[in-house]
Each structure stands twice: as structure tokens, then as C-alpha cells.
Amino acid sequence: LLTCAGLSRKMAKLSLMVSLVLLALPTVALPTAYVSFTPQVGFGGAIKGNGMLKLLLGKRRPYHVESHGQVLADGTFRLDQTVAFQGEPPRLRHWILTTVQPGTYTGTLSDAAGAVTGYTRGRRLMLRYRLKGPLVMHQRLEILHDGTIDNAGRITLLGIPVGHLQETIVAKPRR
């Protein structure tokens, strides 16, 4: 039989073990459960993407993107991209994003016809900008649990969907 002192020592050991396990759990879950999307988190360093663009009356157009993003001295974020649609020569484009307030962004995109606006909510970055003419791009980028980014875009004409894109973005392996 256990004495009160023996039972008390065993309970103390059990309590200590349970406490250590509970303390360790949040540190294991935090990187995937609580990551917040910022331009630096999603696009910092070298990244690449593969996607598909489909316009209402056009064929599906596969594309590949090579990107490099960095925070500039003035605090803005710059993303340089080389975009290559299958069967076409690559095009260069540049994003500049400025934080208006935490989680809210404004900026420019070299092939947009106006300002870029965006906001983040947890793992998601929502972007909106005008393309050529009256077309508007609405993008939802989400960091997935494995670290890849799902980029889903919807192109509208006077509020009516006329195209979409789907892209998977991953960090390029470091050499």
C-alpha cells in the first residue's frame, strides 16, 4: 500500500510531467496554427509558383513565376517577378507594397492600371487591383499548413466574373 507521502510524491511527479507536456504543446502547434500573412512572410526571399489562368472565352494558360521579395530601407516591400506563360517570352513585373496600418496595404504593380490595395486576416492576404481596361483582379492568397501558398484569383468585368487563376507558390530551395 502507498503511504500518503508516497502518493503525494507520485502525484507531484505526474503533475510535473503533465505540466511539461502541456507547456510543450503550444510551441509545437504555434508555427502552423498562428502564422499571420505579411508580405515578408509570404513573399520574402526567393519563391516560385506554377499556375493556370483561364479567361471566359480563352483556353487555359499555364504559367510559371520566379520571384524575389525584400524589405527596402524605407520599410516598403518590393517583389520582383519573372512571369512566363507557356509558349511566350518571360515578362518582368514589380510590386511595391506599403503598410498603411498593421494588416492593411497599398501599393503598385508594374502591369496594373491603378493602385493595389490589400489586407490580411490571419493566414490570408486579399489583394485587389485594376488590370487593363475595366478588368479587376481579386486575389486571395493563403498560407497552408505545409508552408505553401494557395493563390486563387478572380477577374471581373463590371463585377461579373470573366476569368480566374489558380497558383501554388513555394519557397525556392536554398543552395
Side-chain angles (χ1 to χ4, degrees):
L1 291 174
L2 288 174
T3 64
C4 279
L7 183 59
S8 179
R9 279 192 304 273
K10 288 191 182 269
M11 291 299 288
K13 282 182 182 178
L14 180 61
S15 176
L16 177 63
M17 288 175 30
V18 168
S19 295
L20 290 173
V21 167
L22 290 176
L23 284 173
L25 285 178
T27 60
V28 171
L30 274 177
T32 56
Y34 294 100
V35 66
S36 290
F37 205 123
T38 66
Q40 297 87 343
V41 169
F43 307 123
I47 56 175
K48 64 181 178 176
N50 288 302
M52 187 71 64
L53 173 68
K54 172 72 170 91
L55 295 175
L56 188 62
L57 299 175
K59 294 189 301 187
R60 296 167 53 96
R61 299 179 59 206
Y63 64 90
H64 178 76
V65 182
E66 296 281 333
S67 305
H68 185 271
Q70 63 183 339
V71 177
L72 302 178
D74 65 359
T76 59
F77 185 81
R78 180 180 177 105
L79 182 65
D80 297 313
Q81 296 183 310
T82 302
V83 181
F85 281 92
Q86 189 173 37
E88 297 179 16
R91 295 187 315 231
L92 299 178
R93 70 181 193 176
H94 311 281
W95 297 75
I96 299 289
L97 294 174
T98 302
T99 303
V100 175
Q101 62 184 20
T104 304
Y105 305 92
T106 187
T108 60
L109 170 59
S110 58
D111 58 1
V116 174
T117 59
Y119 65 91
T120 56
R121 295 292 183 270
R123 300 174 166 276
R124 290 187 176 162
L125 169 64
M126 308 297 283
L127 295 172
R128 183 181 185 280
Y129 50 94
R130 187 166 302 283
L131 299 168
K132 306 283 188 251
L135 297 175
V136 177
M137 173 65 81
H138 307 265
Q139 284 180 266
R140 180 198 46 79
L141 297 109
E142 182 174 359
I143 299 174
L144 304 178
H145 292 284
D146 64 0
T148 61
I149 298 173
D150 178 53
N151 179 8
R154 182 173 46 93
I155 301 167
T156 61
L157 172 67
L158 304 173
I160 300 167
V162 295
H164 65 274
L165 69 82
Q166 187 67 47
E167 178 185 7
T168 300
I169 303 169
V170 297
K172 288 174 67 175
R174 303 206 191 284
R175 293 181 185 171

